[in-house]
């Protein structure tokens, strides 16, 4: 268990309490196309105080085939993510659930 490690976390198989998801304003729609939106969510949850528990090799994962999203914004998404990694006070999605209600 590495409760504050965000690397390798993917939302394809992520369980989270509803109140924690809402507390960090869900996924951030500032991430466009493919890449890093799931890492951003995990980082903000860790900054909020949620502890991560790894279930790798202990839980089954079934992946549904889908076309890949456009990767043209990947580097921009990565830069946005790195800004947030280095800011432990950043917990809220800029454009998340609260903005779409």
């Amino acid at each position: 268990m590495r409760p504050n490690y965000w690397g390798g976390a993917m939302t394809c198989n992520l369980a989270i309490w509803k109140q924690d998801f809402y507390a960090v304003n869900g996924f951030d729609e500032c991430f466009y196309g493919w890449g890093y939106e799931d890492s951003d969510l995990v980082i903000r949850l860790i900054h909020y105080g949620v502890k991560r528990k790894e279930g790798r090799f202990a839980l089954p994962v079934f992946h549904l085939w889908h076309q890949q999203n456009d990767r043209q914004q990947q580097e921009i998404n990565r830069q946005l993510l790195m800004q947030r990694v280095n800011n432990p006070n950043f917990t809220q999605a800029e454009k998340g659930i609260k903005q779409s209600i």
Side-chain angles (χ1 to χ4, degrees):
M1 188 167 148
R2 298 185 293 181
N4 295 315
Y5 180 69
W6 62 271
M10 294 176 273
T11 55
C12 65
N13 192 22
L14 178 75
I16 180 174
W17 294 110
K18 181 180 178 180
Q19 66 265 20
D20 291 332
F21 187 74
Y22 279 107
V24 298
N25 201 16
F27 282 101
D28 196 334
E29 293 182 27
C30 290
F31 289 83
Y32 183 77
W34 185 91
Y36 303 108
E37 73 286 346
D38 44 7
S39 297
D40 173 67
L41 175 63
V42 172
I43 287 166
R44 288 185 289 109
L45 286 164
I46 290 169
H47 288 172
Y48 180 68
V50 173
K51 301 295 182 197
R52 178 175 176 228
K53 185 174 182 182
E54 181 76 46
R56 193 175 304 238
F57 305 117
L59 305 166
V61 175
F62 295 98
H63 186 267
L64 300 176
W65 183 90
H66 58 84
Q67 291 181 337
Q68 288 188 348
N69 284 338
D70 181 8
R71 292 186 181 219
Q72 290 181 354
Q73 293 285 117
Q74 181 178 357
E75 182 57 26
I76 294 169
N77 288 350
R78 189 190 71 75
Q79 289 174 9
L80 180 58
L81 174 72
M82 296 319 295
Q83 291 171 5
R84 295 174 177 193
V85 166
N86 298 319
N87 182 355
N89 297 319
F90 192 87
T91 61
Q92 295 292 304
E94 291 179 31
K95 188 177 177 187
I97 282 180
K98 296 171 189 170
Q99 287 71 29
S100 62
I101 294 176

